[in-house]
Amino acid sequence: MPVQAFVDDSGGKGQSRHFVLAGLIGQAEAWALFSEEWSACLASPPFIRTFKMRDAASCSGQFFGVTKPARDNKLRALARIINRYAEIVTWSVIDLEAHANTWGKAAVKPQRDPYFWPFHNTIMATCLTLWDAQWRERFEIIFDEQLVFGPRAKRWYPVMKEILKHREPEAATILPADPIFKTDDDSLPLQAADLWAWCLRRSTDDPSFKEFEWLLPEMTNVKQTDYSQYYDEDRMLNVIDQSREMLQQGLIPQGVSTIYAKIFNE
C-alpha cells in the first residue's frame, strides 16, 4: 500500500473528560524507515521497550526512574523522527459527558460506544484529506488493537463506506478494503500516534495544560487536516436530528439499506 494511516486512542469513561483518536498519515516506504529510526531511538539510553506517552508524562512504567531532562530529550528525539516521516495528522475528539447525555442514551450498540463515531470519522477524514491532496490509490488504515470496541465498530464499516460512496463517489474509491487492527509492538507508528492522541486529549481535557506544548515546534512538517472533528453536545444532537429526519422522509439511500440488511439481518 503506498499510503498508510496509523491511529491510536487516548482517554475513556472514568479516565478523562474526552476520548480521542489521532491518526498519522504517510507513505508506506517512509513508515518502514520511521520504524527503523524509532526502534533505534527507543534502544538508546535511557532504554525504552515500548513508548507510551502516559508513561513519559508521569515518568512511570517504561520511564520509571528516568529524570525529566532525560525524558524530555527522548521525547524531542522521537518527535523529530515523527516530523521526518509523518505527513498529516487527523483527530476525532468526543466529549464523554455530552456523549452520555445524547448518543449514549439515544443509540443502540455499538453506536452508543464512544469509540464508534471517532473510529468511522477518522477513516472518512483520512479518505477526504488524501483525496484533496490528489492521492488516487486505495490507502490502508491501521488502528491500535481494541478487542471489544474495535470489532463492533468495524462490523459497520461496509455501511459507512456505502454512505460515503453516496455522498462523495469519487473520493470513496480510495477507501481501504477493510480497517486493520494491530498492536503497537507490531506496528511502531502506532506509538507515534499515541503521542499525538495523549497530548491532544490532555490539552482538550484541560486547555491550561502546557507542559508538553514545546513538542509541537518539533513537528512542524506534520500538517493538520481540516476534516478533524470535535463532537460536543450540539454536534451530537444535530446528527441525531438529521438521522431522524432522513429516516422519517425515507431519504436513506437504497444501497445503504441493502448493505445494512445483508449484514445485520443474517
Side-chain angles (χ1 to χ4, degrees), residues 17-170:
R17 291 181 55 208
H18 296 86
F19 175 76
V20 175
L21 281 178
L24 292 172
I25 305 168
Q27 298 191 49
E29 289 183 2
W31 284 127
L33 296 172
F34 162 92
S35 296
E36 292 178 6
E37 286 197 34
W38 188 268
S39 181
C41 186
L42 293 184
S44 66
F47 172 76
I48 303 298
R49 188 179 305 280
T50 300
F51 176 82
K52 294 188 181 298
M53 187 62 199
R54 69 170 182 266
D55 290 349
S58 59
C59 288
S60 61
Q62 289 290 307
F63 281 84
F64 180 77
V66 177
T67 65
K68 285 190 175 182
R71 184 268 318 268
D72 290 351
N73 287 336
K74 178 75 84 172
L75 285 175
R76 188 171 287 107
L78 292 171
R80 289 173 178 171
I81 296 171
I82 295 172
N83 194 55
R84 282 195 286 277
Y85 296 108
E87 298 180 33
I88 302 168
V89 61
T90 183
W91 47 262
S92 300
V93 179
I94 194 164
D95 182 319
L96 290 172
E97 183 178 357
H99 177 274
N101 293 330
T102 54
W103 286 341
K105 292 180 178 179
V108 297
K109 285 184 178 181
Q111 296 99 315
R112 70 168 177 245
D113 295 332
Y115 184 84
F116 182 84
W117 288 107
F119 172 83
H120 289 290
N121 181 70
T122 300
I123 298 172
M124 304 309 168
T126 301
C127 177
L128 295 173
T129 297
L130 289 172
W131 184 263
D132 288 351
Q134 304 303 311
W135 296 102
R136 295 296 183 262
E137 295 183 59
R138 194 181 295 274
F139 66 94
E140 187 175 61
I141 191 163
I142 300 98
F143 290 84
D144 189 29
E145 190 173 56
Q146 284 282 345
L147 297 177
V148 176
F149 301 121
R152 288 179 184 172
K154 181 178 177 178
R155 193 177 182 206
W156 276 76
Y157 177 63
V159 176
M160 298 301 182
K161 190 175 181 179
E162 188 65 24
I163 290 172
L164 191 65
K165 283 173 65 177
H166 177 74
R167 294 178 177 174
E168 300 283 348
E170 292 184 332

Side-chain angles (χ1 to χ4, degrees), residues 205-246:
D205 280 352
D206 179 8
S208 68
F209 181 79
K210 307 291 184 182
E211 185 174 352
F212 297 102
E213 197 171 46
W214 51 269
L215 279 171
L216 277 176
E218 301 291 347
M219 297 183 286
T220 55
N221 290 339
V222 185
K223 307 305 179 187
Q224 297 203 40
T225 173
D226 293 333
Y227 293 100
S228 293
Q229 289 281 345
Y230 179 81
Y231 291 99
D232 59 10
E233 187 163 335
D234 287 344
R235 174 87 171 103
M236 287 184 266
L237 287 172
N238 185 52
V239 172
I240 291 172
D241 290 341
Q242 287 181 345
S243 300
R244 185 180 294 118
E245 183 178 345
M246 289 180 69

